[in-house]
Amino acid sequence: MDPKLREVSQGLERFKAAFVRSDFDTCTKLLSQLKVLLTEFRSLPPLFEDSPNAVHELTIARDIYEHAVVLSVKTEDQDAFERDFFQLKPYYTDTGGRLPPSPQEYPILGLNLLRLLVQNRIAEFHTELELLSATALENACIKHAVELEQSFMEGAYNRVLSARQTVPHETYVYFMDLLAKTVRDEIAGCSEKAYDYLSINDAQHMLLFSSDQELFEYIKEEHPEWEIKNGHVFFQRAKESAPCKEIPSLQLINQTLSYARELERIV
């Protein structure tokens, strides 16, 4: 085996061993070293030069970046996820059949769709979806993300939260927890605008919590401006603390009349 390829293979084995024992600090250090070593392989994207070890080099590089994506989920680093995913993506789209399919491809593509949904990047979500093949769209991991997006857009938040119990891959739990928080924040924002107060029972059901204690912890961490009193949750303090912005109505009227005069001159 080529000495450089052997060095990368041994580094990857050490990375996997550290990953199994959840030593993510060591994984991060080893990953940085592996990425530097990969720059010496000219068979990798974007060059794709032919060499006797090209297939082996592409395979091991794809394996490294797949592990990097999963590591970013374990360390809850969304920026690292995005970087590593875009480094990995050419191995799925541009290898032209030189590599056998990876069993991690669809779980990772679905994970990226879920990330875009959590970050409310809906346009990018649909762009990525359009690039997938018909076979990919039938995969359970991709379907899971698509169904979540549909439920989210329909406002069927109970389906979004219950979907955490049926995730197709254990790495999805992190983003599902973030999505649950996004959903609850959306409901909370609407609730404090629509109501002066709610009973604790109604607030619990509306925010989709299974117990009063979960509701109280959420209020303490996310909405300390809400007040719990006499069996009710009062939003009035939040409304009073929100600054009222004055609308410059006279300025807007003058601007509109000015635009109308300019249009009249043009016509």
Side-chain angles (χ1 to χ4, degrees):
M1 183 185 290
D2 180 81
K4 292 180 181 177
L5 195 54
R6 183 184 298 111
E7 185 179 3
V8 173
S9 298
Q10 291 171 348
L12 179 57
E13 290 306 313
R14 290 196 298 273
F15 175 95
K16 289 179 178 179
F19 189 88
V20 168
R21 62 176 185 268
S22 299
D23 185 358
F24 299 137
D25 289 337
T26 299
C27 286
T28 302
K29 292 175 183 175
L30 289 171
L31 181 61
S32 297
Q33 296 169 12
L34 287 168
K35 287 181 177 180
V36 172
L37 292 172
L38 289 179
T39 60
E40 300 182 30
F41 295 160
R42 299 182 65 82
S43 62
L44 305 185
L47 299 176
F48 287 113
E49 290 187 4
D50 285 325
S51 71
N53 295 317
V55 172
H56 196 170
E57 290 169 359
L58 286 165
T59 302
I60 199 169
R62 183 180 68 181
D63 197 10
I64 288 170
Y65 285 121
E66 285 178 340
H67 277 83
V69 168
V70 177
L71 176 64
S72 69
V73 174
K74 294 292 186 181
T75 56
E76 301 183 357
D77 188 340
Q78 293 187 49
D79 292 334
F81 181 101
E82 187 163 8
R83 287 194 304 271
D84 293 326
F85 176 79
F86 281 115
Q87 287 177 302
L88 170 64
K89 195 175 178 182
Y91 295 89
Y92 294 152
T93 59
D94 301 335
T95 51
R98 298 170 71 185
L99 299 180
S102 167
Q104 295 302 316
E105 180 175 353
Y106 292 146
I108 287 177
L109 290 175
L111 199 58
N112 182 57
L113 290 173
L114 188 54
R115 174 186 66 90
L116 294 173
L117 185 58
V118 166
Q119 295 175 348
N120 205 26
R121 294 159 65 175
I122 305 301
E124 292 175 63
F125 177 96
H126 286 283
T127 299
E128 290 292 325
L129 207 57
E130 290 295 325
L131 297 174
L132 297 179
S133 65
T135 304
L137 293 174
E138 291 301 314
N139 184 270
C141 294
I142 308 299
K143 277 185 171 181
H144 180 78
V146 172
E147 289 169 1
L148 272 175
E149 190 267 345
Q150 291 172 347
S151 297
F152 193 72
M153 292 299 104
E154 292 170 5
Y157 295 141
N158 59 326
R159 292 209 306 263
V160 174
L161 295 182
S162 63
R164 187 188 187 281
Q165 309 303 321
T166 57
V167 290
H169 199 272
E170 56 95 12
T171 53
Y172 283 47
V173 172
Y174 165 61
F175 284 119
M176 287 301 300
D177 287 342
L178 289 180
L179 188 59
K181 183 180 182 305
T182 300
V183 165
R184 287 197 173 97
D185 288 346
E186 184 75 16
I187 297 172
C190 293
S191 297
E192 65 182 12
K193 296 291 186 299
Y195 303 101
D196 290 333
Y197 62 88
L198 285 171
S199 70
I200 288 175
N201 189 51
D202 288 342
Q204 177 197 320
H205 288 302
M206 189 166 288
L207 290 166
L208 306 171
F209 285 115
S210 57
S211 69
D212 291 353
Q213 189 58 39
E214 288 181 358
L215 172 66
F216 298 154
E217 288 176 4
Y218 174 78
I219 292 173
K220 182 179 178 181
E221 293 176 8
E222 302 296 334
H223 293 280
E225 73 280 7
W226 292 0
E227 187 176 7
I228 301 172
K229 186 171 63 175
N230 300 328
H232 290 78
V233 179
F234 288 85
F235 307 118
Q236 195 61 40
R237 267 174 44 188
K239 292 182 179 181
E240 290 170 356
S241 62
C244 296
K245 295 183 179 179
E246 185 178 347
I247 299 174
S249 53
L250 188 59
Q251 182 183 349
L252 291 173
I253 291 169
N254 287 333
Q255 285 179 350
T256 304
L257 291 174
S258 176
Y259 296 151
R261 284 195 295 270
E262 292 299 323
L263 283 172
E264 190 176 355
R265 287 176 189 168
I266 294 169
V267 174

